[in-house]
Amino acid sequence: MNSIPAELDELLSLYLDEEEEGEAALRRAGEWAGKHPLDIADLFDWVQRYPASKERRQRAQVVLRAALGMRLVPGPVCRPTPP
């Protein structure tokens, strides 16, 4: 697995492993990601490879994307229709 900072690894693992404090840990992971420099590709690759349910991995990505100011759903950038 690609490397992400240990604190972020711990917080995301709590959520992805469905621990009792997982929701709070996911919120803290989003806050942490929004305040610290990190390799976004490594972060999302780490989340996708984590052995957790697809639904939990997707929710983690949505929270992280929102915290980083990214589109919530990956895809092409929306462009206005030409006149």
Side-chain angles (χ1 to χ4, degrees):
M1 236 183 253
N2 290 343
S3 177
I4 62 171
E7 185 174 349
L8 192 54
D9 181 310
E10 181 180 337
L11 291 169
L12 288 172
S13 294
L14 285 172
Y15 172 73
L16 293 167
D17 290 339
E18 300 186 38
E19 298 294 332
E20 187 175 313
E21 65 276 14
E23 287 296 326
L26 181 58
R27 281 192 304 278
R28 290 195 318 271
E31 292 168 3
W32 193 98
K35 295 178 184 176
H36 297 85
L38 55 109
D39 185 310
I40 294 171
D42 281 351
L43 173 62
F44 290 122
D45 186 53
W46 185 94
V47 171
Q48 282 304 309
R49 292 175 184 260
Y50 199 88
S53 72
K54 180 179 179 180
E55 292 77 20
R56 290 196 81 82
R57 290 190 320 254
Q58 286 176 337
R59 172 140 166 68
Q61 282 196 320
V62 166
V63 168
L64 292 168
R65 291 179 77 79
L68 295 168
M70 301 172 73
R71 292 170 42 100
L72 297 184
V73 178
V77 177
C78 293
R79 292 184 176 88
T81 307

